[in-house]
Amino acid sequence: MRNETRGTVELTLAMVLSGTLGVFVVESGASPFEVVFFRCLFGAAALGAYSLARGFFTGHGFTAKKLGLAALGGVFIVFNWVFLFEAYEATSISLATVVYHTQPFFLVLLGAVFARERIPGGKLGWLAVAFVGLVLVSGVRPGDTASLKGLGFALAAAVLYALSVFVTKRITGIRPHLVALVQVLVGLPLLLPFADLSATAGLGAGWAWLVGLGLIHTGLMYVLMYAAYAKLPTAKIAVLAFTYPAVAMGVDWAVYGHHIGLVQALGVPLIVLASLRVTLAGSARTRGAAPAPRTAGRAPEAASPVATRAA
């Protein structure tokens, strides 16, 4: 199998797995804080075991500054999961996932505010298109408190995710598996004060779903993604990333009977198209500014914003 073909299969499988994440969260029966705590616990075990088996801890490349940046990114990514899972409860997996995919726009805004990056007119136009799509997708009426709450949670998750990417992409020379491992390890002490671990005693079969979140959606899924990134061009990664919301919407309909209305459906392609154009424009600018050959001897780097679109 050709390298790029194998990467396509790996990333597609990773995005399909990501699209089933909502079902695992809901079926676990645990609250969002407990779900994220055990996702971090079982995910750390999976990523730690994989990194140890591959010898990634040898010459890991961490410095105090890089470790601090990874930990800060972990704070953002962990609470991003909490808010996203809260959005699943307040609204639906479909709506939460589509709104969550406004992440690239918040990343652009963060770059403008903190890195003083100029936003070209074209990007401003696509931001406007995405906003129109968001209004249509939300389908929220002023009196619909639950949907408004879910929309707010999903947007908060998107902002926190963008903050995590903004911080994490400044870490170079470190295997992304190790960065992810630090981030989930940070989540354990961070969430302990909020998680009611005694409430999980009666979960029963819910434990299987929690273990799955850690081993499948954090261990296996991230290993597949990072393996695919080295084999694929950025444009293909950006396109394949949208397998995630498509699968999430299909699974939500098949399992829970949730589907978005006609007006909401009109907003989905607007968000997808705008997100894709903003993401690809950013990656094209990066390639033009600092081209670098893809060689086997190149030092491993943290995943790019395009390459971390999974929840």
Side-chain angles (χ1 to χ4, degrees):
M1 185 183 293
R2 286 175 54 243
N3 227 25
E4 186 169 329
T5 302
R6 183 173 178 177
T8 300
V9 172
E10 288 169 339
L11 188 56
T12 301
L13 180 55
M15 292 299 100
V16 169
L17 289 176
S18 190
T20 65
L21 181 141
V23 174
F24 278 69
V25 172
V26 173
E27 292 301 314
S28 73
S31 76
F33 279 108
E34 282 85 62
V35 170
V36 177
F37 178 85
F38 285 107
R39 181 183 188 182
C40 288
L41 179 63
F42 297 125
L47 288 170
Y50 179 80
S51 297
L52 182 62
R54 295 295 304 272
F56 292 165
F57 292 114
T58 303
H60 51 74
F62 273 117
T63 62
K65 180 180 178 180
K66 291 178 181 180
L67 190 60
L69 286 172
L72 179 60
V75 174
F76 293 135
I77 203 71
V78 164
F79 282 107
N80 140 78
W81 287 340
V82 171
F83 278 109
L84 179 60
F85 298 167
E86 289 278 9
Y88 290 162
E89 287 191 355
T91 177
S92 69
I93 295 171
S94 298
L95 178 59
T97 303
V98 173
V99 173
Y100 183 59
H101 270 68
T102 56
Q103 308 146 354
F105 312 112
F106 290 113
L107 192 59
V108 168
L109 294 175
L110 286 171
V113 173
F114 294 107
R116 300 192 177 183
E117 296 174 358
R118 189 179 67 85
I119 304 179
K123 277 193 177 180
L124 285 174
W126 286 115
L127 286 170
V129 170
F131 179 76
V132 172
L134 181 61
V135 171
L136 291 173
V137 165
S138 68
V140 177
R141 298 181 297 275
D144 191 354
T145 307
S147 293
L148 281 172
K149 185 179 178 182
L151 177 64
F153 281 141
L155 285 173
V159 171
L160 287 169
Y161 179 88
L163 282 166
S164 176
V165 171
F166 186 77
V167 170
T168 304
K169 73 176 185 174
R170 282 154 177 74
I171 307 171
T172 58
I174 308 290
R175 295 228 178 233
H177 309 78
L178 295 181
V179 175
L181 177 58
V182 170
Q183 291 177 337
V184 292
L185 285 173
V186 163
L188 296 176
L190 192 64
L191 293 171
L192 199 55
F194 304 100
D196 182 8
L197 302 185
S198 62
T200 61
L203 285 181
W207 280 107
W209 297 99
L210 290 178
V211 172
L213 277 170
L215 300 186
I216 299 173
H217 294 90
T218 311
L220 175 61
M221 187 180 76
Y222 276 72
V223 167
L224 286 170
M225 284 195 301
Y226 296 144
Y229 298 154
K231 306 180 183 83
L232 297 175
T234 301
K236 179 166 279 192
I237 292 172
V239 172
L240 290 176
F242 286 99
T243 305
Y244 162 34
V247 171
M249 293 172 70
V251 168
D252 195 24
W253 171 77
V255 178
Y256 301 113
H258 296 157
H259 60 85
I260 60 176
L262 178 59
V263 174
Q264 290 175 305
L266 294 175
V268 174
L270 295 181
I271 292 177
V272 170
L273 178 61
S275 177
L276 195 57
R277 292 301 298 265
V278 167
T279 301
L280 292 179
S283 63
R285 188 180 69 251
T286 301
R287 288 197 305 271
R294 294 169 61 188
T295 65
R298 188 178 174 189
E301 297 181 354
S304 69
V306 174
T308 50
R309 197 65 68 79

